[in-house]
Amino acid sequence: MQSLKSEFPIFETARKEGKPLIFLDNASTTQKPHCVIDAISGFYTGYYANVGRGLYWPATAASSSYDQAREKVRSFIGASSKKEVIFTSGTTDAVNKVVNSFLLPQLKNGDEVLVSEMEHHSNFVPWQQACESKGAQLKVIPLDAELNLNLSQLASMLTSKVKILAITAISNTLGVKNDLKSIINLAHQHNIKVFVDAAQLPLSEKIDVQKIDCDFLAFSGHKVFGPTGIGVLYGKQALLENMSPLAYGGGMVQKVSIDETIMADLPSKHEAGTPNIAGAIGLAAAIDFINLVGVEEIGRYGAELRKYAVKRLSEIEGLTLLAKEAEGTAILSFTMEGIHPHDIAAFLAEKGIAVRAGHHCTHPLMHKLDIGGTVRVSFNIYNSTEEVDLLKNTLDEIKSFFL
Ligand code: PMP
């Protein structure tokens, strides 16, 4: 796996005061391999044109690449049809679109929406605001003492008032993975639709939307080696067909007259305007890269680094690991007694080690834990046990500097 680092040009070029970049902020975003950068620049330099309109060759080539990108995403998440794959600008955009087109038209005073206590603000605020606008209630499924989702509490909250359950696959702060299949199965027993925030899932395990039977699922390209500004909304075909368009404009219509507009079929119906063509092409290259390395291999490597980090950081007295026992993810949060997370992150940054400190867009979780923030490290295929050792040694230094 070590040799794969050379696939990421940033590690050859990026130096601060001669120090190499040690990038442990992969839950926030991932670095880009050569093949993704080349695919994007190849589009702009080789066959750039708009999609779905022109009959001249760069336009047909661009359209065909855009269509192939959708097919790659379909296969990547195990959807049964390309009609179920809608390109968005990211996870946040996808959540907002489902809120606006699926939830709001049916939400009434007294209805409920369920989210969990570990949600990222992107999978919390849009649902909360929708509830507020209609006099509905946002209910929050609590976590247990080990910071896992409390499934028996969840079961007791599933009533006929609930219009949708929105749940993250993996907590971006704790690295806790939820048992999606059981959660979705429970919700479906009560006829409740489930939206899965899969922003942290694609590099952890192979996604199979048919197997987990989710109704909606979303992820972002930039967290899976792809570019920013592109993401995916998966929805079951019948649901996407029944929803009003996520936006109106060109490219999503069959026929327009002064009196009425007949919408295009899926997926175009939900993609108004010129799409992020370069983003989709970059995402397709990222998916090729992931498939070449192997999702399972990537997931295993990240989870092993987390396990190793748990072992090494446990040696530091006064350092508390959160959700220490969590398995199968590459995200680990900790606090250090007497030292502010931002001081830790700033000190690490001086050594060229990139980590994230703060609330990680999970205020409700911080509130539950009664802390202001954590330091979060998150691993990927270009990280190594040597980097974890360096992190551990630098944290020792930080401790003697501040305390
Ligand atoms: N959900 C989770 C669990 C995330 O980790 C993130 C990104 N940190 C998001 C949603 C939002 O993703 P984006 O900013 O790409 O829309």
Side-chain angles (χ1 to χ4, degrees):
M1 200 58 89
Q2 187 63 355
S3 61
L4 283 178
K5 196 163 188 170
S6 61
E7 295 296 322
F8 295 81
I10 192 165
F11 297 114
E12 274 155 45
T13 52
R15 291 276 180 284
K16 187 167 180 280
E17 288 148 17
K19 291 185 213 84
L21 172 66
I22 298 186
F23 192 74
L24 303 179
D25 193 20
N26 294 285
S28 171
T29 199
T30 56
Q31 297 299 339
K32 314 305 167 199
H34 279 291
C35 57
V36 168
I37 298 165
D38 291 349
I40 297 167
S41 100
F43 168 56
Y44 282 125
T45 55
Y47 58 103
Y48 178 75
N50 211 331
V51 292
R53 305 188 194 351
L55 298 175
Y56 51 91
W57 78 259
T60 52
S63 298
S64 150
S65 289
Y66 187 64
D67 188 54
Q68 279 168 28
R70 198 185 305 277
E71 169 54 26
K72 283 197 175 148
V73 172
R74 184 208 63 74
S75 152
F76 186 59
I77 61 172
S80 61
S81 159
K82 278 190 286 182
K83 291 180 175 183
E84 298 182 319
V85 175
I86 310 296
F87 284 119
T88 65
S89 71
T91 307
T92 307
D93 185 33
V95 179
N96 279 280
K97 283 178 163 156
V98 174
V99 166
N100 289 330
S101 284
F102 175 77
L103 180 67
L104 276 175
Q106 56 165 317
L107 195 64
K108 303 180 304 299
N109 191 7
D111 284 346
E112 293 175 1
V113 169
L114 296 186
V115 295
S116 86
E117 215 167 9
M118 64 168 81
E119 297 311 313
H120 187 281
H121 293 162
S122 288
N123 197 34
F124 193 98
V125 181
W127 306 108
Q128 178 196 52
Q129 294 302 304
C131 286
E132 206 175 295
S133 74
K134 296 285 183 101
Q137 213 190 337
L138 183 80
K139 290 211 159 171
V140 182
I141 310 153
L143 307 186
D144 64 18
E146 276 76 48
L147 303 179
N148 291 312
L149 196 74
N150 191 323
L151 281 188
S152 54
Q153 280 270 0
L154 162 65
S156 71
M157 295 165 86
L158 299 168
T159 68
S160 58
K161 290 184 185 169
V162 180
K163 289 291 163 288
I164 194 163
L165 160 63
I167 185 82
T168 191
I170 294 174
S171 157
N172 64 298
T173 299
L174 304 170
V176 164
K177 191 182 255 194
N178 287 321
D179 177 359
L180 291 176
K181 202 156 165 31
S182 302
I183 293 168
I184 294 166
N185 191 20
L186 266 175
H188 283 176
Q189 284 170 21
H190 296 262
N191 269 332
I192 296 167
K193 302 285 183 244
V194 181
F195 176 96
V196 176
D197 172 352
Q200 299 294 344
L201 189 61
L203 298 187
S204 173
E205 65 179 47
K206 166 84 184 122
I207 297 177
D208 188 334
V209 290
Q210 293 189 72
K211 199 158 134 200
I212 59 171
D213 198 27
C214 55
D215 299 288
F216 298 102
L217 177 140
F219 70 94
S220 301
H222 70 96
K223 291 188 199 277
V224 297
F225 307 124
T228 52
I230 187 81
V232 171
L233 168 64
Y234 158 83
K236 282 184 177 162
Q237 189 170 335
L239 293 171
L240 291 175
E241 257 158 13
N242 284 331
M243 281 157 60
S244 53
L246 305 176
Y248 295 94
M252 47 75 67
V253 297
Q254 237 175 56
K255 195 165 183 297
V256 180
S257 71
I258 291 174
D259 298 322
E260 64 162 359
T261 293
I262 300 167
M263 307 306 165
D265 288 336
L266 292 176
S268 308
K269 167 185 164 184
H270 290 305
E271 291 182 6
T274 297
N276 183 352
I277 311 163
I281 288 169
L283 176 57
I287 289 174
D288 283 342
F289 178 77
I290 292 168
N291 288 338
L292 206 65
V293 183
V295 183
E296 309 297 341
E297 188 58 28
I298 297 171
R300 199 173 318 121
Y301 189 79
E304 272 167 19
L305 278 181
R306 185 192 198 270
K307 214 178 238 177
Y308 184 68
V310 166
K311 177 171 163 274
R312 290 306 325 270
L313 301 195
S314 294
E315 295 165 18
I316 304 173
E317 224 173 283
L319 185 148
T320 305
L321 295 164
L322 280 79
K324 185 174 166 174
E325 310 298 335
E327 292 211 342
T329 75
I331 301 170
L332 181 63
S333 259
F334 63 87
T335 56
M336 282 174 88
E337 208 180 322
I339 315 176
H340 195 283
H342 283 132
D343 287 334
I344 298 170
F347 197 107
L348 289 169
E350 281 302 307
K351 305 279 177 182
I353 305 173
V355 303
R356 189 57 82 83
H359 53 70
H360 316 295
C361 294
T362 52
H363 279 155
L365 178 62
M366 294 298 116
H367 180 74
K368 182 218 166 51
L369 299 170
D370 197 21
I371 52 177
T374 74
V375 179
R376 181 187 69 187
V377 290
S378 46
F379 305 105
N380 210 315
I381 52 173
Y382 31 73
N383 299 125
S384 63
T385 51
E386 287 77 21
E387 292 180 348
V388 176
D389 291 337
L390 182 67
L391 171 72
K392 152 55 172 90
N393 294 340
T394 315
L395 290 172
D396 284 336
E397 261 182 65
I398 290 174
K399 213 177 133 183
S400 32
F401 180 84
F402 282 101
L403 301 179

